[in-house]
Amino acid sequence: MKKYDYIILGTGPAAYQLIKLLATQHKSILAIESGLFGGTCPNVGCEPKIYLDGAVQAALLSKQLEGHGIEQAATMNWSQLMKEKKERFASWANETRKNISKVCDVISGSAHFIDRQTIEVNRQYFQGNRIIIATGRRPHELSIPGAKFLHDSSDVLSLNKLPEHVTFIGGGYVAMELATFLAAAGSQVTILVRGDRVLRHFYQKYSRELVVKMKERGIQFKFETEPTRITQLSDKYVVELNQDGPMVTDYVVNASGRTPNIEKLDLSAAQIDYSTRGIDVDRHLQTNVNNIYAIGDVTSQDIPNLTPIAEFQAQYLFNSLEKGLTQPINYPAIGTGVFAFPQLAQAGINPDSVLEDGDNFEIKEYELSQSSLYAGQKEKGLLTVVYDKANYIVGVSEISTSAINDINYFIPIIGLRINKNEWHRNVLPIYPALADKIEGILR
């Protein structure tokens, strides 16, 4: 039985970052991957998504400017775009494996625990002084008759032919973003939302406004609606619903959420605590077993499942295990966004969480329509800022065609607690752009 300093389960962003760091310390490492090397983000997630988003945003923005200096809006060629996307990303998994193989041992297969130090994969046994679980998440499976006809986000991001009508199940990131993409390319899109709202973790005023804007472009929403059965009808599908009549569609996407990849690990064999939300860890990213840790989306922590957070955890764990860091993990100001149209983005405190706390927080909304940046656009943009009692910015939310980049300006202000004098003394941004207007928002 071969023994290692570290056995790492998974090769996604968290694991990949940790492997690179540990390799600098000349540690013996075994990386085990049951799927695509590199994980979801570079293969079937954020990287290919943002590649498609570039074309989508350009097409939709040109449509907004039609009649305001643009004579004819751009139209998308989905098949050509998908062909180029596949050419760009097809080799990434193999390239990631090659890169990892240069610094550690690698094996493909589904691993599971034998005990607290022993892993079995492909009928081989390996021992690790420390074991790091970084197996990520996958699309949640729906238990309804006809679930075999459902597609997931990976399928959509490799969809060669554009369906005439697409039905999404869910109202989170995946549904809102991919619905935007397909509708912009020419599909009719319907979104089924189990509850009465979308994007629950975002400022709800702006989430509702996004729904309005998507409806104006022809995207249909059915709230408090769930599928109960899916059947095939020739080359189409019939989706039966808990209310209203059945609907006929060409393609059904399950975007009902993501679930941690833990069921095949046999965590109970190592007596690791976990739940349906993921693996339980403390503020040192350690499980209840002292030599086993978990990082990335597979944990049950109440934080956004984002690639930068996974990489931040990898850096923290390296510093903790190899550099003697004893402090618990302390997350910086975190920004997150929805690549719909218009975009939603936020950082720090969500205004919804402090709406009733006027003694400690002040909430102020700014219209971005007066900026020349928005000349000719229908989507003018709104920015909401949360101030604390000392008049520092502690939260921002925005809806606009450039919300994600705009909010990135504010993340250092929140994280570093910068006031107006410090901004004026240390920063002279490009003009005219949003950054030069921030001084007027700082207190």
Side-chain angles (χ1 to χ4, degrees):
M1 187 185 305
K2 192 167 183 179
K3 297 182 179 181
Y4 293 88
D5 294 321
Y6 289 90
I7 294 178
I8 300 178
L9 308 182
T11 60
Y16 187 57
Q17 175 77 351
L18 184 59
I19 289 168
K20 291 192 298 181
L21 292 168
L22 291 173
T24 65
Q25 305 300 300
H26 307 291
K27 298 295 180 179
S28 60
I29 309 165
L30 172 64
I32 304 173
E33 177 57 69
S34 62
L36 293 172
F37 278 79
T40 298
C41 180
N43 292 296
V44 291
C46 43
E47 291 286 350
K49 174 192 77 175
I50 200 64
Y51 183 85
L52 299 179
D53 179 73
V56 170
Q57 294 289 327
L60 291 176
L61 190 57
S62 73
K63 187 173 182 62
Q64 272 201 344
L65 293 171
E66 197 171 19
H68 298 276
I70 298 295
E71 291 188 1
Q72 184 174 351
T75 56
M76 291 177 58
N77 184 327
W78 180 267
S79 297
Q80 180 64 32
L81 182 63
M82 188 57 63
K83 177 177 179 293
E84 294 188 9
K85 171 259 170 186
K86 289 184 175 181
E87 290 174 354
R88 178 181 177 87
F89 293 99
S91 63
W92 281 33
N94 287 336
E95 290 174 1
T96 301
R97 176 169 184 152
K98 289 179 182 178
N99 289 338
I100 294 174
S101 298
K102 294 175 183 177
V103 297
C104 72
D105 290 347
V106 172
I107 188 168
S108 297
S110 183
H112 67 94
F113 282 89
I114 299 299
D115 56 39
R116 296 184 176 199
Q117 288 190 307
T118 310
I119 295 290
E120 180 186 2
V121 58
N122 301 339
R123 298 184 180 181
Q124 300 178 72
Y125 295 86
F126 305 93
Q127 282 195 334
N129 292 332
R130 292 185 174 121
I131 299 176
I132 317 297
I133 305 171
T135 48
R137 292 181 178 243
R138 69 182 188 282
H140 169 259
E141 296 177 6
L142 286 177
S143 299
I144 59 172
K148 65 182 180 179
F149 299 121
L150 293 171
H151 298 275
D152 60 25
S153 57
S154 300
D155 299 325
V156 176
L157 291 172
S158 295
L159 188 59
N160 292 318
K161 184 180 178 181
L162 195 69
E164 183 177 340
H165 184 271
V166 181
T167 299
F168 284 89
I169 302 168
Y173 285 89
V174 173
M176 300 295 280
E177 292 179 341
L178 296 184
T180 297
F181 294 1
L182 294 181
S187 290
Q188 296 177 353
V189 175
T190 301
I191 301 178
L192 309 179
V193 184
R194 183 176 62 179
D196 61 354
R197 66 191 69 183
V198 300
L199 300 168
R200 290 178 174 271
H201 298 295
F202 281 79
Y203 184 30
Q204 282 303 295
K205 177 180 179 180
Y206 292 170
S207 294
R208 292 191 296 269
E209 181 67 13
L210 176 59
V211 170
V212 171
K213 298 302 182 183
M214 292 175 71
K215 284 182 175 179
E216 289 175 354
R217 297 200 308 277
I219 298 173
Q220 295 184 329
F221 287 82
K222 290 181 177 290
F223 289 96
E224 297 182 341
T225 303
E226 296 181 77
T228 58
R229 178 188 297 270
I230 301 172
T231 55
Q232 190 168 17
L233 180 66
S234 184
D235 59 345
K236 295 183 180 294
Y237 300 92
V238 178
V239 182
E240 297 181 26
L241 308 172
N242 63 330
Q243 61 176 356
D244 301 329
M247 58 182 296
V248 179
T249 188
D250 297 291
Y251 199 84
V252 188
V253 183
N254 173 20
S256 60
R258 298 180 68 80
T259 188
N261 286 317
I262 55 177
E263 73 285 341
K264 295 181 180 180
L265 295 176
D266 197 4
L267 298 173
S268 58
Q271 299 179 313
I272 300 169
D273 291 341
Y274 67 96
S275 67
T276 55
R277 297 179 64 244
I279 296 172
D280 298 333
V281 294
D282 62 17
R283 292 190 62 197
H284 298 271
L285 303 179
Q286 186 179 58
T287 69
N288 60 300
V289 181
N290 60 12
N291 70 306
I292 301 176
Y293 300 79
I295 55 177
D297 297 356
V298 75
T299 71
S300 63
Q301 298 174 94
D302 189 21
I303 54 174
N305 293 318
L306 303 171
T307 293
I309 290 179
E311 293 173 340
F312 182 83
Q313 291 175 344
Q315 181 70 61
Y316 167 83
L317 192 59
F318 171 75
N319 291 338
S320 177
L321 299 180
E322 294 295 326
K323 297 297 183 179
L325 179 68
T326 58
Q327 292 89 345
I329 192 167
N330 182 31
Y331 292 99
I334 298 170
T336 183
V338 181
F339 289 85
F341 191 89
Q343 298 174 346
L344 290 188
Q346 65 186 30
I349 293 175
N350 184 326
D352 286 325
S353 66
V354 294
L355 282 174
E356 307 300 325
D357 192 359
D359 292 335
N360 295 301
F361 299 95
E362 180 186 0
I363 300 172
K364 189 171 181 179
E365 186 172 72
Y366 299 86
E367 289 191 17
L368 303 176
S369 57
Q370 297 180 5
S371 169
S372 297
L373 293 167
Y374 294 88
Q377 296 185 35
K378 295 179 183 178
E379 310 295 347
K380 301 301 185 182
L382 294 169
L383 170 68
T384 291
V385 179
V386 180
Y387 300 93
D388 66 11
K389 291 175 67 175
N391 279 331
Y392 284 96
I393 293 177
V394 293
V396 284
S397 298
E398 182 176 328
I399 180 169
S400 78
T401 56
S402 58
I404 289 170
N405 282 330
D406 292 353
I407 291 301
N408 269 335
Y409 288 123
F410 287 94
I411 294 174
I413 294 171
I414 296 172
L416 299 174
R417 287 184 68 81
I418 296 171
N419 60 30
K420 186 171 185 176
N421 290 334
E422 291 168 324
W423 177 270
H424 182 72
R425 184 169 58 248
N426 297 300
V427 177
L428 195 61
I430 295 171
Y431 176 88
L434 178 68
D436 78 89
K437 305 182 189 322
I438 288 178
E439 183 180 344
I441 296 171
L442 290 167
R443 299 285 184 85

